[in-house]
Amino acid sequence: MFRATTPDSAKILDNSPGRQPASKPGPLAGLTIIEMAGLGPAPLAALMLSEMGARVVRIERMASGKAFLALPPEHDLDRHGRSILKLDLKRPEGIALVLRLLEKADVLIEGFRPGVMERLGLGPEESQRRNPKLIYARMTGFGQQGPLAGRAGHDLTYLAYSGVLHAIGPSDGKPVPPLNLVADYGGGAMFLIAGILAALFETSRSGKGQVVDAAMVDGASMLAAPFFSFMAAGFWTDRRGSNLLDSGAPFYDTYRTADGKHVAVACLEPQFFAEFAKLLPLEQRFAAAQYNRSMWDGMREAITRRIAEKTRDEWAALFENTDACVAPVLSFSEAPQHPHNLARGVHVKAGALERPAPAPRFSRTPSATAAPPAADEATAAVLERLGIAPDDIEALAKAGIVGR
């Protein structure tokens, strides 16, 4: 049902791939960020800040390679939009060079376990001694302090500790991992970005830098703050799959269609539910009793039977011009081809990669889609832009401190 038309996305935002321009567009143009290479939410935050105009220099260990999720360069968003510097961080000359680079930077992003940067000699004290205005942004799972601070984990680990994982899944089943969107990227990358931007604003007034301690368990917990208020007010229980927004309500759930696909029904408000009930149609005894919990089991059975009579796209066509809040559940492959996403340029081509466009959008200073690092970008050019003299660069290269 989806028309694969080409939008005039050039009018929406600049999505042209290619080498990074010398002067990048975007609201963060002029900002310099040093990113210590890692995995997970810190690289996504660096990507987004780069697409908003910041100049990001990613420092990787000499001859380092990813042992986990080693993507081809054209698909590796952990490196797109950056200049790449390979340094020998096992040698004091490499550490000294990082400190020199931090003198010219506005922000440092690091995602190591607590204590790693301090052992390298690159902790906040050493770094901010060189640059008192530096924003030192730290991304971890459990934070810089606490009994679990030094423990390894992943998105699912932090969701488990936050209470969020317990709330996701069917009432008669086990908790379900929501990809790694909630703790890694929601509670991690988004809160890291918010902390960096807030600290930069404060620095513009005080002239002093500070440390941003962004922890995924903190961020995931904060995202769940409204549910704690619901519980306190008696509107939410700790029983999974029994509440308004966790599939407990039959008018906020997904349903299987005749072709084995699904639609999402989300008509919470009475006026939207009334439109849904009219178009489905739903028996009057259910249509008049939306919030009567004693009717929910029967209502769910009726909706399930009716939705199973048509294909996903047939239901999508019926509901798409209404306020019934019914949507086809699209796959990652299908979403870029939906007419609305096409019209807005929600997905873009960046070289060999089709991916979501930068967000949010800005009226005067648009973001630009990050390209893979230029293969021919010389280390010397990167270091010169950061104020390192050519003679020093040559000496560092000869000593094997930096890659060429």
Side-chain angles (χ1 to χ4, degrees):
M1 67 172 286
F2 306 128
R3 293 179 293 107
T5 56
T6 302
D8 190 1
S9 57
K11 295 180 180 179
I12 301 172
L13 80 162
D14 177 12
N15 295 318
S16 303
R19 289 188 303 173
Q20 301 301 317
S23 179
K24 297 175 67 176
L28 298 182
L31 191 74
T32 298
I33 298 174
I34 302 297
E35 174 198 3
M36 304 300 292
L39 295 172
L44 179 63
L47 171 72
M48 294 180 65
L49 293 168
S50 169
E51 295 188 326
M52 292 180 199
R55 177 175 61 180
V56 180
V57 178
R58 178 179 167 95
I59 295 179
E60 298 181 346
R61 293 177 183 269
M62 194 76 78
S64 65
K66 284 187 180 179
F68 179 68
L69 292 179
L71 301 175
E74 65 270 22
H75 298 153
D76 189 358
L77 290 177
D78 282 2
R79 302 178 91 233
H80 287 199
R82 285 86 147 177
S83 296
I84 307 297
L85 276 180
K86 288 189 174 291
L87 304 184
D88 188 344
L89 297 180
K90 294 182 179 180
R91 295 168 64 180
E93 297 92 338
I95 300 303
L97 177 58
V98 175
L99 290 171
R100 289 177 66 185
L101 299 181
L102 291 179
E103 293 175 2
K104 305 290 185 179
D106 300 291
V107 180
L108 168 73
I109 294 176
E110 65 97 357
F112 302 136
R113 293 197 205 192
V116 171
M117 289 290 280
E118 284 82 353
R119 288 194 294 274
L120 287 172
L122 294 171
E125 186 176 341
E126 296 91 345
S127 301
Q128 291 178 327
R129 188 181 299 121
R130 293 294 191 96
N131 181 355
K133 295 179 66 174
L134 181 71
I135 304 303
Y136 197 103
R138 318 194 79 165
M139 182 77 261
T140 59
F142 292 109
Q144 296 298 313
Q145 298 87 28
L148 299 178
R151 261 190 65 184
H154 286 293
D155 180 279
L156 205 59
T157 315
Y158 314 127
L159 285 187
Y161 279 103
S162 71
V164 173
L165 184 60
H166 178 272
I168 301 174
S171 59
D172 58 351
K174 63 182 182 178
V176 175
L179 305 183
N180 66 327
L181 291 174
V182 181
D184 258 12
Y185 298 142
M190 298 305 107
F191 277 79
L192 183 65
I193 290 172
I196 289 170
L197 297 180
L200 284 168
F201 175 76
E202 194 281 335
T203 297
S204 72
R205 297 189 167 194
S206 70
K208 299 177 182 178
Q210 61 181 307
V211 176
V212 177
D213 177 3
M216 286 174 259
V217 72
D218 295 357
S221 298
M222 185 61 202
L223 289 174
F227 298 96
F228 282 81
S229 72
F230 297 162
M231 286 184 65
F235 294 139
W236 195 272
T237 74
D238 253 344
R239 189 159 59 89
R240 183 171 54 256
S242 65
N243 300 285
L244 191 62
L245 300 175
D246 64 359
S247 79
F251 44 84
Y252 198 86
D253 204 352
T254 59
Y255 291 90
R256 188 179 179 89
T257 56
D259 54 351
K261 298 180 181 180
H262 294 83
V263 293
V265 175
C267 43
L268 289 171
E269 293 83 354
Q271 68 271 26
F272 300 154
F273 179 76
E275 192 159 4
F276 169 72
K278 176 183 175 182
L279 292 170
L280 192 62
L282 196 59
E283 296 173 53
Q284 181 58 30
R285 64 191 178 101
F286 295 126
Q290 180 182 6
Y291 279 93
N292 182 345
R293 282 181 174 262
S294 68
M295 301 289 283
W296 280 8
D297 287 345
M299 185 188 301
R300 186 184 302 278
E301 291 176 7
I303 295 172
T304 298
R305 286 195 304 270
R306 179 66 179 129
I307 294 293
E309 294 176 5
K310 295 180 183 291
T311 67
R312 182 197 66 178
D313 292 351
E314 287 173 334
W315 286 119
L318 176 66
F319 284 110
E320 67 181 355
N321 292 318
T322 75
D323 282 338
C325 302
V326 176
V329 177
L330 305 178
S331 69
F332 284 143
S333 299
E334 293 174 308
Q337 301 306 316
H338 188 275
H340 177 82
N341 295 338
L342 282 168
R344 277 186 62 80
V346 174
H347 297 81
V348 297
K349 288 285 288 184
L353 178 65
E354 184 173 40
R355 49 151 289 194
R361 304 180 187 204
F362 301 90
S363 62
R364 287 191 302 102
T365 57
S367 299
T369 306
D376 59 351
E377 185 177 33
T379 296
V382 177
L383 289 173
E384 282 183 21
R385 286 199 296 271
L386 292 170
I388 306 299
D391 288 348
D392 288 348
I393 297 170
E394 183 62 26
L396 289 165
K398 284 183 177 179
I401 304 301
V402 300
R404 289 185 181 271

PDB file of all heavy atoms in Angstrom, residues 11 19 44-45 52 56 72 75 93 95 106 111 117 155 162 169 199 206 241 248 264-265 276 285 296 305 331 351:
ATOM      1  N   LYS A  11      14.735  20.179   0.524  1.00  0.00           N
ATOM      2  CA  LYS A  11      14.110  21.352   1.116  1.00  0.00           C
ATOM      3  C   LYS A  11      13.893  21.175   2.612  1.00  0.00           C
ATOM      4  O   LYS A  11      13.590  22.128   3.310  1.00  0.00           O
ATOM      5  CB  LYS A  11      12.770  21.636   0.429  1.00  0.00           C
ATOM      6  CG  LYS A  11      12.912  22.018  -1.038  1.00  0.00           C
ATOM      7  CD  LYS A  11      11.558  22.292  -1.647  1.00  0.00           C
ATOM      8  CE  LYS A  11      11.671  22.686  -3.124  1.00  0.00           C
ATOM      9  NZ  LYS A  11      10.353  22.931  -3.736  1.00  0.00           N
ATOM     10  N   ARG A  19      32.524  14.276   2.040  1.00  0.00           N
ATOM     11  CA  ARG A  19      33.478  14.694   3.046  1.00  0.00           C
ATOM     12  C   ARG A  19      32.871  15.751   3.956  1.00  0.00           C
ATOM     13  O   ARG A  19      32.068  16.579   3.519  1.00  0.00           O
ATOM     14  CB  ARG A  19      34.737  15.254   2.370  1.00  0.00           C
ATOM     15  CG  ARG A  19      35.565  14.178   1.693  1.00  0.00           C
ATOM     16  CD  ARG A  19      36.883  14.741   1.225  1.00  0.00           C
ATOM     17  NE  ARG A  19      36.699  15.874   0.326  1.00  0.00           N
ATOM     18  CZ  ARG A  19      37.686  16.632  -0.121  1.00  0.00           C
ATOM     19  NH1 ARG A  19      38.918  16.399   0.248  1.00  0.00           N
ATOM     20  NH2 ARG A  19      37.441  17.634  -0.944  1.00  0.00           N
ATOM     21  N   LEU A  44      26.650   7.323  20.012  1.00  0.00           N
ATOM     22  CA  LEU A  44      25.425   7.880  19.425  1.00  0.00           C
ATOM     23  C   LEU A  44      25.285   9.351  19.797  1.00  0.00           C
ATOM     24  O   LEU A  44      24.905  10.181  18.955  1.00  0.00           O
ATOM     25  CB  LEU A  44      24.199   7.100  19.887  1.00  0.00           C
ATOM     26  CG  LEU A  44      22.869   7.633  19.345  1.00  0.00           C
ATOM     27  CD1 LEU A  44      22.800   7.522  17.820  1.00  0.00           C
ATOM     28  CD2 LEU A  44      21.680   6.920  19.982  1.00  0.00           C
ATOM     29  N   ALA A  45      25.604   9.681  21.039  1.00  0.00           N
ATOM     30  CA  ALA A  45      25.560  11.090  21.443  1.00  0.00           C
ATOM     31  C   ALA A  45      26.538  11.914  20.617  1.00  0.00           C
ATOM     32  O   ALA A  45      26.209  13.017  20.160  1.00  0.00           O
ATOM     33  CB  ALA A  45      25.883  11.207  22.935  1.00  0.00           C
ATOM     34  N   MET A  52      24.606  18.104  14.574  1.00  0.00           N
ATOM     35  CA  MET A  52      24.133  19.440  14.940  1.00  0.00           C
ATOM     36  C   MET A  52      25.208  20.495  14.723  1.00  0.00           C
ATOM     37  O   MET A  52      24.987  21.667  15.028  1.00  0.00           O
ATOM     38  CB  MET A  52      23.686  19.463  16.406  1.00  0.00           C
ATOM     39  CG  MET A  52      22.451  18.647  16.697  1.00  0.00           C
ATOM     40  SD  MET A  52      22.007  18.742  18.452  1.00  0.00           S
ATOM     41  CE  MET A  52      20.958  17.306  18.619  1.00  0.00           C
ATOM     42  N   VAL A  56      33.767  16.928  15.934  1.00  0.00           N
ATOM     43  CA  VAL A  56      34.061  15.824  16.852  1.00  0.00           C
ATOM     44  C   VAL A  56      35.316  15.101  16.376  1.00  0.00           C
ATOM     45  O   VAL A  56      35.383  14.659  15.222  1.00  0.00           O
ATOM     46  CB  VAL A  56      32.884  14.835  16.945  1.00  0.00           C
ATOM     47  CG1 VAL A  56      33.223  13.688  17.909  1.00  0.00           C
ATOM     48  CG2 VAL A  56      31.616  15.551  17.400  1.00  0.00           C
ATOM     49  N   PRO A  72      31.107  -2.709   8.549  1.00  0.00           N
ATOM     50  CA  PRO A  72      31.877  -2.062   7.476  1.00  0.00           C
ATOM     51  C   PRO A  72      31.896  -0.547   7.696  1.00  0.00           C
ATOM     52  O   PRO A  72      30.934   0.019   8.230  1.00  0.00           O
ATOM     53  CB  PRO A  72      31.089  -2.431   6.209  1.00  0.00           C
ATOM     54  CG  PRO A  72      30.261  -3.603   6.583  1.00  0.00           C
ATOM     55  CD  PRO A  72      29.950  -3.465   8.038  1.00  0.00           C
ATOM     56  N   HIS A  75      28.888   1.641   7.083  1.00  0.00           N
ATOM     57  CA  HIS A  75      27.711   1.406   7.917  1.00  0.00           C
ATOM     58  C   HIS A  75      27.957   1.683   9.393  1.00  0.00           C
ATOM     59  O   HIS A  75      27.040   1.548  10.200  1.00  0.00           O
ATOM     60  CB  HIS A  75      27.246  -0.048   7.757  1.00  0.00           C
ATOM     61  CG  HIS A  75      26.820  -0.397   6.375  1.00  0.00           C
ATOM     62  ND1 HIS A  75      26.895  -1.677   5.875  1.00  0.00           N
ATOM     63  CD2 HIS A  75      26.324   0.367   5.366  1.00  0.00           C
ATOM     64  CE1 HIS A  75      26.460  -1.697   4.627  1.00  0.00           C
ATOM     65  NE2 HIS A  75      26.113  -0.459   4.294  1.00  0.00           N
ATOM     66  N   GLU A  93      53.701   9.970  26.067  1.00  0.00           N
ATOM     67  CA  GLU A  93      53.597  10.991  25.013  1.00  0.00           C
ATOM     68  C   GLU A  93      52.188  11.034  24.421  1.00  0.00           C
ATOM     69  O   GLU A  93      51.707  12.102  24.019  1.00  0.00           O
ATOM     70  CB  GLU A  93      54.615  10.707  23.906  1.00  0.00           C
ATOM     71  CG  GLU A  93      56.064  10.785  24.349  1.00  0.00           C
ATOM     72  CD  GLU A  93      56.596   9.424  24.797  1.00  0.00           C
ATOM     73  OE1 GLU A  93      55.779   8.541  25.166  1.00  0.00           O
ATOM     74  OE2 GLU A  93      57.826   9.237  24.766  1.00  0.00           O
ATOM     75  N   ILE A  95      49.364  10.296  26.088  1.00  0.00           N
ATOM     76  CA  ILE A  95      48.527  10.952  27.093  1.00  0.00           C
ATOM     77  C   ILE A  95      48.762  12.458  27.075  1.00  0.00           C
ATOM     78  O   ILE A  95      47.827  13.256  27.145  1.00  0.00           O
ATOM     79  CB  ILE A  95      48.819  10.368  28.487  1.00  0.00           C
ATOM     80  CG1 ILE A  95      48.534   8.859  28.511  1.00  0.00           C
ATOM     81  CG2 ILE A  95      48.015  11.095  29.552  1.00  0.00           C
ATOM     82  CD1 ILE A  95      47.128   8.486  28.121  1.00  0.00           C
ATOM     83  N   ASP A 106      36.001  22.014  23.836  1.00  0.00           N
ATOM     84  CA  ASP A 106      34.914  22.471  24.705  1.00  0.00           C
ATOM     85  C   ASP A 106      34.366  21.331  25.552  1.00  0.00           C
ATOM     86  O   ASP A 106      33.909  21.557  26.679  1.00  0.00           O
ATOM     87  CB  ASP A 106      33.777  23.057  23.858  1.00  0.00           C
ATOM     88  CG  ASP A 106      34.229  24.232  23.018  1.00  0.00           C
ATOM     89  OD1 ASP A 106      34.533  25.288  23.595  1.00  0.00           O
ATOM     90  OD2 ASP A 106      34.307  24.080  21.780  1.00  0.00           O
ATOM     91  N   GLY A 111      33.303   6.960  27.817  1.00  0.00           N
ATOM     92  CA  GLY A 111      32.348   5.961  28.260  1.00  0.00           C
ATOM     93  C   GLY A 111      32.991   4.753  28.891  1.00  0.00           C
ATOM     94  O   GLY A 111      32.456   3.638  28.795  1.00  0.00           O
ATOM     95  N   MET A 117      39.860   6.448  33.120  1.00  0.00           N
ATOM     96  CA  MET A 117      40.490   7.692  32.648  1.00  0.00           C
ATOM     97  C   MET A 117      41.489   8.222  33.677  1.00  0.00           C
ATOM     98  O   MET A 117      42.545   8.757  33.314  1.00  0.00           O
ATOM     99  CB  MET A 117      39.412   8.735  32.352  1.00  0.00           C
ATOM    100  CG  MET A 117      38.587   8.433  31.107  1.00  0.00           C
ATOM    101  SD  MET A 117      39.522   8.607  29.558  1.00  0.00           S
ATOM    102  CE  MET A 117      39.480  10.394  29.335  1.00  0.00           C
ATOM    103  N   ASP A 155      22.239  -2.644  28.320  1.00  0.00           N
ATOM    104  CA  ASP A 155      20.920  -2.027  28.426  1.00  0.00           C
ATOM    105  C   ASP A 155      19.983  -2.842  29.315  1.00  0.00           C
ATOM    106  O   ASP A 155      19.337  -2.307  30.217  1.00  0.00           O
ATOM    107  CB  ASP A 155      20.328  -1.881  27.013  1.00  0.00           C
ATOM    108  CG  ASP A 155      18.949  -1.245  27.005  1.00  0.00           C
ATOM    109  OD1 ASP A 155      17.964  -1.953  27.262  1.00  0.00           O
ATOM    110  OD2 ASP A 155      18.864  -0.043  26.738  1.00  0.00           O
ATOM    111  N   SER A 162      16.397  -0.632  37.175  1.00  0.00           N
ATOM    112  CA  SER A 162      15.566   0.577  37.239  1.00  0.00           C
ATOM    113  C   SER A 162      14.098   0.280  37.504  1.00  0.00           C
ATOM    114  O   SER A 162      13.327   1.190  37.820  1.00  0.00           O
ATOM    115  CB  SER A 162      15.681   1.358  35.920  1.00  0.00           C
ATOM    116  OG  SER A 162      15.011   0.663  34.878  1.00  0.00           O
ATOM    117  N   GLY A 169       6.055  -6.270  28.973  1.00  0.00           N
ATOM    118  CA  GLY A 169       5.783  -7.648  28.601  1.00  0.00           C
ATOM    119  C   GLY A 169       4.349  -8.025  28.936  1.00  0.00           C
ATOM    120  O   GLY A 169       3.627  -7.275  29.603  1.00  0.00           O
ATOM    121  N   ALA A 199      25.331  21.934  30.679  1.00  0.00           N
ATOM    122  CA  ALA A 199      26.611  22.368  31.243  1.00  0.00           C
ATOM    123  C   ALA A 199      27.247  23.463  30.391  1.00  0.00           C
ATOM    124  O   ALA A 199      27.858  24.402  30.925  1.00  0.00           O
ATOM    125  CB  ALA A 199      27.551  21.177  31.375  1.00  0.00           C
ATOM    126  N   SER A 206      29.244  31.170  33.819  1.00  0.00           N
ATOM    127  CA  SER A 206      30.210  31.118  34.920  1.00  0.00           C
ATOM    128  C   SER A 206      31.659  31.132  34.450  1.00  0.00           C
ATOM    129  O   SER A 206      32.553  31.493  35.207  1.00  0.00           O
ATOM    130  CB  SER A 206      29.973  29.859  35.751  1.00  0.00           C
ATOM    131  OG  SER A 206      30.347  28.698  35.014  1.00  0.00           O
ATOM    132  N   GLY A 241       1.395  -5.953  32.566  1.00  0.00           N
ATOM    133  CA  GLY A 241       0.328  -6.257  31.619  1.00  0.00           C
ATOM    134  C   GLY A 241      -1.072  -6.070  32.176  1.00  0.00           C
ATOM    135  O   GLY A 241      -2.031  -6.638  31.640  1.00  0.00           O
ATOM    136  N   GLY A 248      -2.454  -3.817  29.232  1.00  0.00           N
ATOM    137  CA  GLY A 248      -3.556  -4.231  30.092  1.00  0.00           C
ATOM    138  C   GLY A 248      -4.911  -3.790  29.560  1.00  0.00           C
ATOM    139  O   GLY A 248      -5.913  -4.494  29.733  1.00  0.00           O
ATOM    140  N   ALA A 264      -1.466  -1.457  15.564  1.00  0.00           N
ATOM    141  CA  ALA A 264      -1.389  -0.895  16.902  1.00  0.00           C
ATOM    142  C   ALA A 264      -2.637  -0.066  17.159  1.00  0.00           C
ATOM    143  O   ALA A 264      -2.960   0.833  16.379  1.00  0.00           O
ATOM    144  CB  ALA A 264      -0.141  -0.033  17.043  1.00  0.00           C
ATOM    145  N   VAL A 265      -3.337  -0.379  18.216  1.00  0.00           N
ATOM    146  CA  VAL A 265      -4.556   0.341  18.613  1.00  0.00           C
ATOM    147  C   VAL A 265      -4.220   1.160  19.849  1.00  0.00           C
ATOM    148  O   VAL A 265      -3.771   0.614  20.860  1.00  0.00           O
ATOM    149  CB  VAL A 265      -5.701  -0.640  18.906  1.00  0.00           C
ATOM    150  CG1 VAL A 265      -6.929   0.102  19.431  1.00  0.00           C
ATOM    151  CG2 VAL A 265      -6.049  -1.436  17.652  1.00  0.00           C
ATOM    152  N   PHE A 276     -12.970   4.741  16.869  1.00  0.00           N
ATOM    153  CA  PHE A 276     -12.489   3.372  16.651  1.00  0.00           C
ATOM    154  C   PHE A 276     -13.655   2.384  16.705  1.00  0.00           C
ATOM    155  O   PHE A 276     -13.794   1.519  15.826  1.00  0.00           O
ATOM    156  CB  PHE A 276     -11.447   3.036  17.712  1.00  0.00           C
ATOM    157  CG  PHE A 276     -11.065   1.584  17.779  1.00  0.00           C
ATOM    158  CD1 PHE A 276     -10.296   1.007  16.784  1.00  0.00           C
ATOM    159  CD2 PHE A 276     -11.473   0.795  18.852  1.00  0.00           C
ATOM    160  CE1 PHE A 276      -9.937  -0.341  16.848  1.00  0.00           C
ATOM    161  CE2 PHE A 276     -11.119  -0.544  18.927  1.00  0.00           C
ATOM    162  CZ  PHE A 276     -10.354  -1.113  17.913  1.00  0.00           C
ATOM    163  N   ARG A 285     -22.408  -2.432  23.514  1.00  0.00           N
ATOM    164  CA  ARG A 285     -22.180  -2.702  24.935  1.00  0.00           C
ATOM    165  C   ARG A 285     -20.715  -2.487  25.312  1.00  0.00           C
ATOM    166  O   ARG A 285     -20.411  -2.120  26.449  1.00  0.00           O
ATOM    167  CB  ARG A 285     -22.628  -4.121  25.292  1.00  0.00           C
ATOM    168  CG  ARG A 285     -21.846  -5.239  24.606  1.00  0.00           C
ATOM    169  CD  ARG A 285     -22.546  -6.584  24.824  1.00  0.00           C
ATOM    170  NE  ARG A 285     -21.849  -7.674  24.151  1.00  0.00           N
ATOM    171  CZ  ARG A 285     -21.034  -8.528  24.761  1.00  0.00           C
ATOM    172  NH1 ARG A 285     -20.845  -8.430  26.074  1.00  0.00           N
ATOM    173  NH2 ARG A 285     -20.450  -9.505  24.085  1.00  0.00           N
ATOM    174  N   TRP A 296     -13.378  -5.515  29.973  1.00  0.00           N
ATOM    175  CA  TRP A 296     -12.171  -5.527  29.147  1.00  0.00           C
ATOM    176  C   TRP A 296     -11.874  -6.886  28.524  1.00  0.00           C
ATOM    177  O   TRP A 296     -11.444  -6.946  27.373  1.00  0.00           O
ATOM    178  CB  TRP A 296     -10.975  -5.043  29.964  1.00  0.00           C
ATOM    179  CG  TRP A 296     -10.932  -3.532  30.081  1.00  0.00           C
ATOM    180  CD1 TRP A 296     -11.877  -2.652  29.679  1.00  0.00           C
ATOM    181  CD2 TRP A 296      -9.875  -2.756  30.649  1.00  0.00           C
ATOM    182  NE1 TRP A 296     -11.503  -1.359  29.959  1.00  0.00           N
ATOM    183  CE2 TRP A 296     -10.276  -1.393  30.550  1.00  0.00           C
ATOM    184  CE3 TRP A 296      -8.657  -3.054  31.238  1.00  0.00           C
ATOM    185  CZ2 TRP A 296      -9.476  -0.347  31.015  1.00  0.00           C
ATOM    186  CZ3 TRP A 296      -7.853  -2.010  31.700  1.00  0.00           C
ATOM    187  CH2 TRP A 296      -8.263  -0.676  31.585  1.00  0.00           C
ATOM    188  N   ARG A 305     -11.092 -10.775  17.381  1.00  0.00           N
ATOM    189  CA  ARG A 305     -11.819 -11.482  16.306  1.00  0.00           C
ATOM    190  C   ARG A 305     -12.000 -10.568  15.103  1.00  0.00           C
ATOM    191  O   ARG A 305     -11.803 -10.991  13.957  1.00  0.00           O
ATOM    192  CB  ARG A 305     -13.176 -11.963  16.804  1.00  0.00           C
ATOM    193  CG  ARG A 305     -13.129 -13.156  17.740  1.00  0.00           C
ATOM    194  CD  ARG A 305     -14.505 -13.788  17.889  1.00  0.00           C
ATOM    195  NE  ARG A 305     -15.507 -12.830  18.341  1.00  0.00           N
ATOM    196  CZ  ARG A 305     -15.800 -12.595  19.619  1.00  0.00           C
ATOM    197  NH1 ARG A 305     -15.148 -13.263  20.581  1.00  0.00           N
ATOM    198  NH2 ARG A 305     -16.715 -11.704  19.957  1.00  0.00           N
ATOM    199  N   SER A 331       7.791  -2.743   9.781  1.00  0.00           N
ATOM    200  CA  SER A 331       9.128  -3.237  10.067  1.00  0.00           C
ATOM    201  C   SER A 331      10.138  -2.141   9.755  1.00  0.00           C
ATOM    202  O   SER A 331       9.816  -1.108   9.144  1.00  0.00           O
ATOM    203  CB  SER A 331       9.424  -4.467   9.207  1.00  0.00           C
ATOM    204  OG  SER A 331       9.548  -4.087   7.841  1.00  0.00           O
ATOM    205  N   GLY A 351      25.577   7.850   1.589  1.00  0.00           N
ATOM    206  CA  GLY A 351      26.480   6.915   0.932  1.00  0.00           C
ATOM    207  C   GLY A 351      25.775   5.589   0.713  1.00  0.00           C
ATOM    208  O   GLY A 351      24.700   5.529   0.119  1.00  0.00           O
TER     209      GLY A 351
END
